[in-house]
Structures are given as structure tokens and as C-alpha cells.
Amino acid sequence: MSSELNEDSHAGSSRVASRERSFALGERTDKELLDAHARGERHAFAELLRRHNDHLWQTALRTSYTREDAADSLQDALLSAHRTAGSFRAEAEVRSWLHTIVVNACLDRIRRNKTRRAIPLSPETLPEPRDERDEFAEVEMSIVVDRALFSLPPDQRTALVAIDLEGYSVSEAAAMLGVPEGTIKSRCARGRQRLQERLDFLRDPGNRK
């Protein structure tokens, strides 16, 4: 009986300590958590990811061509952030720093995928042409828009995601992507033009059903 009481007491103490640790971590700013992780404090990086994981996953999904690539890129990005936390400088928010690492990891994977040797297809193995209008009629509007977004070149897509979907300013997006503000503006302008051309068919009310 005494041993059981001791075990129960130990388990209760562990739960209390865990709650206290979570509360203490939750009270810190992102910068404080990143600094704590760089000093070797356990659980600090996990708390940082808990705060921003949904945002980073959506960023990876919007930047990558497939969910598999998004998942792999996000994993690469988080490992990179975990290793390089000590090099963070407070010129930007921690969230923006993480966002940049995820976008760069996605773009790196896109570039690597492009360098893979393509396997030529013989006429017998080519898929049958598909009726795009029929396909569009079967999917919801959001999927149609996403498909148009993913048809853009990666540099235009990442600029549009940062500005139009994530709500960053032009200067913030330029800092995250490491390009001049004018480049961000031109990429967004070209991307929006391409999206308008690809989605122009939706002006026909019959295509919205």
C-alpha cells in the first residue's frame, strides 16, 4: 500500500510539474523561447512549434506541389530551425524567420525535383486526354483556385502567398524572401495577371455550378 501511495504521489507530482512547465513556457515570448532553446532548455522549441505549427503547415502546403513534398519540406525546415536557432538575429519576428525557412525548404525541394531525370513515355503509355471543363465541374471552387495558384512559377506563388494569403506587407515579404521590394511587387503583379487569365472562365455563370 505504501509503494502504491508513493507511486500515486510521484505521478501526481509529475503532472503538476508538467502543468507548471507548460504554463511557464506559455508565458514567454517567441524570442525568449528561441533563446531558451539555443541555451539547451528542453521543451522550449516544442512550445514554439505548438504556437506556429498550423501556420507553417499551411505555408508548406501553399508553396509545395503535393502534400508529400509539403510534409517533407516542413520536416527539413524544422530540423534546420532547430539546429540554427542560435544564429537568429532579432531583425525580424521569430514567426517570420520560421516562415522564411519553410518557404526556402519548399523551393529547394521544387528545384531538386526538377533536376530528376524524366522518364520518357511512349505513345502507348501516355494517359488519355482529360476534359478540363468536366474536371472543374466536379470540384469545389476552392480547389479550382488552388490549382490555378499552383500553376504559377514558385517565385510568383510564394510572393502571392506571403502578401495576399498570409497578410505580410511588401517590405516584410521582401525581407523574408531575400529580394528587393520592387521584385515582390512585380512578382505579385505577374502572378495576379496569370491567375486572372486562368480563372477568367469563372466569369461564365454556368461554370460556377
Side-chain angles (χ1 to χ4, degrees), residues 1 15 19 45 97 111 117 119 121 140 156 180 191:
M1 176 68 70
R15 286 193 294 269
R19 286 196 296 269
F45 195 76
W97 177 72
R111 285 190 287 267
R117 184 173 61 183
I119 301 176
L121 296 176
E140 296 180 353
Q156 294 177 17

Side-chain angles (χ1 to χ4, degrees), residues 57 60 64 66-79 101-110 112-113:
W57 172 236
S64 303
T66 68
R67 290 182 69 88
E68 291 77 11
D69 281 347
D72 290 341
S73 297
L74 181 59
Q75 180 175 326
D76 291 344
L78 295 182
L79 287 173
I101 294 176
V102 171
V103 169
N104 287 337
C106 293
L107 295 179
D108 285 344
R109 184 165 293 273
I110 289 173
R112 289 199 301 271
N113 288 344

Side-chain angles (χ1 to χ4, degrees), residues 24-41:
L25 291 173
E27 290 294 298
R28 300 185 190 180
T29 66
D30 288 351
K31 179 64 167 56
E32 289 170 342
L33 287 173
L34 196 63
D35 289 343
H37 165 68
R39 294 193 303 268
E41 184 174 331

Side-chain angles (χ1 to χ4, degrees), residues 34-35 37-38 45 79-89 97:
L34 196 63
D35 289 343
H37 165 68
F45 195 76
L79 287 173
S80 176
H82 189 276
R83 290 193 300 265
T84 62
S87 66
F88 173 76
R89 298 294 178 266
W97 177 72

Side-chain angles (χ1 to χ4, degrees), residues 104-142:
N104 287 337
C106 293
L107 295 179
D108 285 344
R109 184 165 293 273
I110 289 173
R111 285 190 287 267
R112 289 199 301 271
N113 288 344
K114 285 183 176 180
T115 63
R116 293 174 182 171
R117 184 173 61 183
I119 301 176
L121 296 176
S122 65
E124 292 78 13
T125 60
L126 289 174
E128 291 294 325
R130 301 179 66 180
D131 186 341
E132 294 298 325
R133 287 180 60 85
D134 288 343
E135 181 181 359
F136 288 146
E138 295 172 359
V139 297
E140 296 180 353
M141 183 73 69
S142 61

